[in-house]
């Protein structure tokens, strides 16, 4: 069921236990039941109704918050999901409920020193799409850098071959990185578009070619833009939006 994109594995377990899964007309309520490729899986409407209540939240994470569990005294980003921080520009029409915080988890990391778009979701399908093993969703970042003693006009002195290496040719933890799109936005800021997300990847990539990152902001995940969402505030993913 998870591989077919019907739900997350956790949801699949819950649906089976509730008798919401039907295989060739027979309700299945035993976990681990084997299903052959040619068999037909149907989902009870009650499961679809429950799934429709799940929310995905877009947060403009500030520096100083961790994406997941609290660590080293730093608060997790989910603590910012409050009625007070709900962006007044949200046009989704969804009303906030404390139940929406249940099983709400980040779909991808954004390190403590970085800002920008962080997705938190209850929907396993969204998490799989963004961070699943076969995800091909690209993420866009704006990265402010220094180069030696230079803080401006770095694009004029940074070697073109090093820029080419950033795009393709680096390895982290002895694993070659996938090709990336890297270009200068202005004299001190690079634009990165990645299709993977290793821990502190951009900072480590820049370090390998002599650049020091002084600011990093994620501005897009797939087709969803950070846009005008203010720092520290959040909004719901609209039903008309998709990554």
């Amino acid at each position: 069921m998870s591989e077919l994109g019907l739900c997350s594995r956790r949801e699949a377990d819950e649906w089976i236990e509730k008798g919401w899964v039907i295989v060739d007309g027979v309700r299945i309520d035993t976990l681990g039941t084997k299903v052959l490729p040619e068999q037909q899986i149907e989902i009870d409407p009650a499961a679809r109704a429950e799934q429709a209540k799940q929310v995905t939240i877009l947060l403009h994470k500030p520096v100083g918050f961790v994406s997941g569990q609290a660590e080293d005294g730093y608060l997790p980003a989910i603590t910012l999901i409050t009625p007070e921080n709900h962006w007044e520009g949200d046009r989704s029409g969804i009303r906030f409920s404390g139940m929406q915080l249940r099983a709400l988890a980040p779909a991808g990391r954004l390190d403590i020193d970085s800002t920008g778009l962080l997705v938190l979701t209850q929907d396993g399908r969204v998490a799989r799409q963004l961070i699943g093993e076969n995800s091909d969703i690209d993420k866009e970042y704006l990265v402010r850098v220094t180069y030696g003693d230079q803080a401006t006009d770095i694009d004029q002195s940074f070697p073109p071959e090093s820029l080419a290496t950033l795009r393709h040719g680096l390895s982290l933890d002895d694993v070659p990185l996938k090709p990336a799109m890297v270009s200068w936005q202005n004299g001190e800021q690079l634009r990165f578009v990645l299709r993977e997300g290793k821990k502190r990847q951009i900072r480590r990539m820049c370090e390998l070619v002599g650049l020091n990152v002084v600011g990093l902001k994620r501005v897009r995940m797939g087709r969803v833009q950070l846009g005008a969402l203010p720092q520290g505030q959040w909004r719901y993913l609209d039903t008309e939006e998709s990554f």
Side-chain angles (χ1 to χ4, degrees):
M1 290 164 61
S2 174
E3 288 174 3
L4 290 171
L6 299 174
C7 59
S8 68
R9 293 187 180 188
R10 177 182 56 79
E11 282 178 310
D13 287 348
E14 290 178 0
W15 291 1
I16 291 167
E17 289 175 338
K18 291 177 178 178
W20 287 349
V21 179
I22 303 157
V23 178
D24 288 349
V26 178
R27 287 190 183 270
I28 303 298
D29 58 8
T30 304
L31 295 176
T33 299
K34 301 294 183 183
V35 179
L36 299 174
E38 63 269 18
Q39 290 185 285
Q40 182 68 38
I41 299 175
E42 297 176 71
I43 304 301
D44 191 288
R48 294 298 186 201
E50 187 169 284
Q51 195 175 54
K53 296 177 184 177
Q54 295 175 335
V55 298
T56 295
I57 285 173
L58 311 176
L59 169 69
H60 187 161
K61 188 190 86 68
V63 168
F65 287 81
V66 292
S67 298
Q69 298 294 320
E71 55 184 73
D72 299 328
Y74 292 105
L75 291 173
I78 196 172
T79 59
L80 293 169
I81 311 304
T82 64
E84 294 75 22
N85 291 336
H86 189 187
W87 184 38
E88 62 180 14
D90 190 335
R91 298 291 179 260
S92 67
I94 302 172
R95 298 186 63 180
F96 178 75
S97 161
M99 288 295 292
Q100 293 166 356
L101 299 177
R102 177 180 175 270
L104 188 69
R109 294 184 297 264
L110 195 57
D111 70 56
I112 193 169
D113 299 315
S114 300
T115 67
L117 180 59
L118 180 66
V119 176
L120 301 108
T121 187
Q122 294 177 314
D123 193 331
R125 295 168 302 173
V126 171
R128 182 184 176 94
Q129 190 177 47
L130 293 178
I131 59 174
E133 186 177 345
N134 298 316
S135 173
D136 63 352
I137 300 293
D138 61 355
K139 290 92 173 176
E140 181 178 347
Y141 304 80
L142 297 180
V143 185
R144 197 156 47 87
V145 295
T146 59
Y147 183 52
D149 295 330
Q150 272 185 275
T152 58
D153 297 326
I154 301 165
D155 59 333
Q156 302 299 314
S157 57
F158 188 65
E161 57 270 23
S162 295
L163 186 63
T165 301
L166 274 176
R167 291 172 178 150
H168 193 208
L170 292 175
S171 296
L172 293 179
D173 304 320
D174 298 322
V175 178
L177 296 175
K178 295 179 181 178
M181 292 175 58
V182 187
S183 58
W184 288 104
Q185 284 288 102
N186 55 50
E188 60 188 63
Q189 185 168 260
L190 286 161
R191 171 181 175 265
F192 277 74
V193 179
L194 306 180
R195 288 187 180 272
E196 60 188 331
K198 296 183 181 294
K199 189 173 183 180
R200 298 179 75 85
Q201 178 173 334
I202 291 175
R203 295 178 187 277
R204 294 166 70 194
M205 289 172 68
C206 287
E207 186 177 309
L208 288 172
V209 295
L211 292 171
N212 178 47
V213 173
V214 294
L216 192 155
K217 182 179 184 179
R218 183 157 63 204
V219 295
R220 179 178 62 82
M221 297 180 75
R223 291 196 292 264
V224 175
Q225 304 270 355
L226 178 65
L229 182 62
Q231 192 169 126
Q233 295 187 28
W234 62 272
R235 69 174 179 88
Y236 293 104
L237 182 74
D238 200 317
T239 53
E240 301 301 314
E241 294 179 292
S242 69
F243 292 97

